[in-house]
Amino acid sequence: MDPLSTLWETFFDWESMRAALPEMLTVGLPNTLILAVSAALLGSVLGMALAVAGISRTRWLRWPARVYTDVFRGLPAAATILLIGVGLAPLGMQVWGPNPYPLGILALSLIAAAYIGEIFRSGIQSVEAAQLEGARALGFSWGEAMRLVIVPQGVRRVLPAWVNQLIALIKDSSLVYFLGLLASQRELFRIGQDYAANTGNQSALLLAGLCYLVLTVPLTHAVNAIDRRLRQGRTVTIDPDDDGGLALAGETALPQPRSPREDPR
């Protein structure tokens, strides 16, 4: 058989895609977003704590943060999910029952925190030291200066890298199927895998991959546009009716003081 024909029949069977699409949109897509967004939010909070601890001058804060980062960045994601999901399963059964989502979200969050912590740490350390010194000179405490001046600038600088980690979480959410999912708990990849196993055709898996692209590609372009907007800032215009008065776009320029020679008196 022609290899191209085999490829087309195996991955581009429109009937198989049409049969799998409704369940992917109503079950798989919401579950994938629940896993990814929940893990991203929790991982960002833990990551910020790791970033602050990682730049701390206190050794008992800095070293545990570094060890945590090295361990969870070095372990395969599947191994971490199995360690958390299977190792803590008895405790999970007592707390929230047989639902594997909490442990799956916890495992994904711990993985994401290690990467997001390094992203935030690099962003914070990229802010010039003069910014912190200036804030302290204005009367801010160290904590206030970090919270109001340094951290916002650092996060803004690494926004694209943070979104890249969110995209990785969207894809890594497919690994939660290792923990065993009910029919109503399946995410995009698991639904595609089940349809492929039942029909002997891989088109549903290709459709799942296309759904991941629909989620990740617009997100990438959106954050790039936001990043360009943040880097450009607001434009500055010159008021032609004023002697050198500057104004931000949409604002009124402040009048410039007259020199003594220009004083009409």
Side-chain angles (χ1 to χ4, degrees):
M1 184 179 293
D2 184 11
L4 292 179
S5 299
T6 303
L7 178 66
W8 184 266
E9 293 176 1
T10 304
F11 290 97
F12 295 93
D13 185 351
W14 306 117
E15 292 300 325
S16 298
M17 290 185 179
R18 189 178 297 112
L21 183 60
E23 193 168 6
M24 284 193 178
L25 294 180
T26 58
V27 178
L29 182 60
N31 288 337
T32 296
L33 291 177
I34 289 173
L35 290 169
V37 173
S38 300
L41 293 176
L42 183 57
S44 297
V45 174
L46 295 176
M48 180 59 70
L50 286 172
V52 175
I55 62 176
S56 173
R57 295 181 179 179
T58 305
R59 182 177 301 177
W60 63 270
L61 286 175
R62 186 174 65 253
W63 282 106
R66 292 182 178 179
V67 171
Y68 176 97
T69 301
D70 291 340
V71 170
F72 281 94
R73 289 177 69 185
L75 285 175
T80 303
I81 290 174
L82 287 173
L83 284 172
I84 300 297
V86 177
L88 299 181
L91 177 62
M93 288 288 293
Q94 297 177 4
V95 177
W96 47 70
N99 187 1
Y101 268 38
L103 289 177
I105 291 173
L106 176 61
L108 291 173
S109 301
L110 295 177
I111 297 169
Y115 291 93
I116 293 176
E118 285 298 287
I119 291 171
F120 285 161
R121 183 185 62 80
S122 63
I124 292 171
Q125 290 184 324
S126 70
V127 179
E128 296 79 4
Q131 298 275 355
L132 179 60
E133 296 171 358
R136 296 299 302 274
L138 291 174
F140 289 93
S141 66
W142 186 89
E144 291 173 338
M146 290 293 294
R147 187 177 72 254
L148 301 176
V149 179
I150 305 301
V151 171
Q153 294 185 69
V155 171
R156 185 179 68 177
R157 294 182 181 186
V158 297
L159 185 60
W162 181 87
V163 174
N164 287 337
Q165 185 58 38
L166 175 59
I167 292 173
L169 275 175
I170 292 175
K171 295 183 291 184
D172 286 346
S173 64
S174 62
L175 298 175
V176 176
Y177 85 90
F178 285 140
L179 304 181
L181 301 175
L182 299 177
S184 61
Q185 297 171 337
R186 294 176 299 170
E187 32 67 45
L188 287 170
F189 179 78
R190 185 60 181 176
I191 291 176
Q193 193 178 43
D194 287 347
Y195 271 93
N198 293 333
T199 63
N201 189 280
Q202 308 300 315
S203 300
L205 280 175
L206 178 63
L207 180 61
L210 294 175
C211 290
Y212 283 112
L213 286 177
V214 170
L215 288 174
T216 58
V217 172
L219 187 62
T220 301
H221 289 286
V223 76
N224 288 339
I226 295 173
D227 182 59
R228 286 194 300 270
R229 178 62 178 172
L230 291 175
R231 291 180 183 277
Q232 291 173 355
R234 292 183 294 178
T235 58
V236 178
T237 58
I238 299 177
D239 188 350
D241 298 328
D242 189 49
D243 296 333
L246 297 180
L248 293 174
E251 299 182 359
T252 304
L254 294 175
Q256 297 294 317
R258 292 178 176 273
S259 63
R261 295 180 180 180
E262 295 176 349
D263 193 340
R265 294 178 298 179

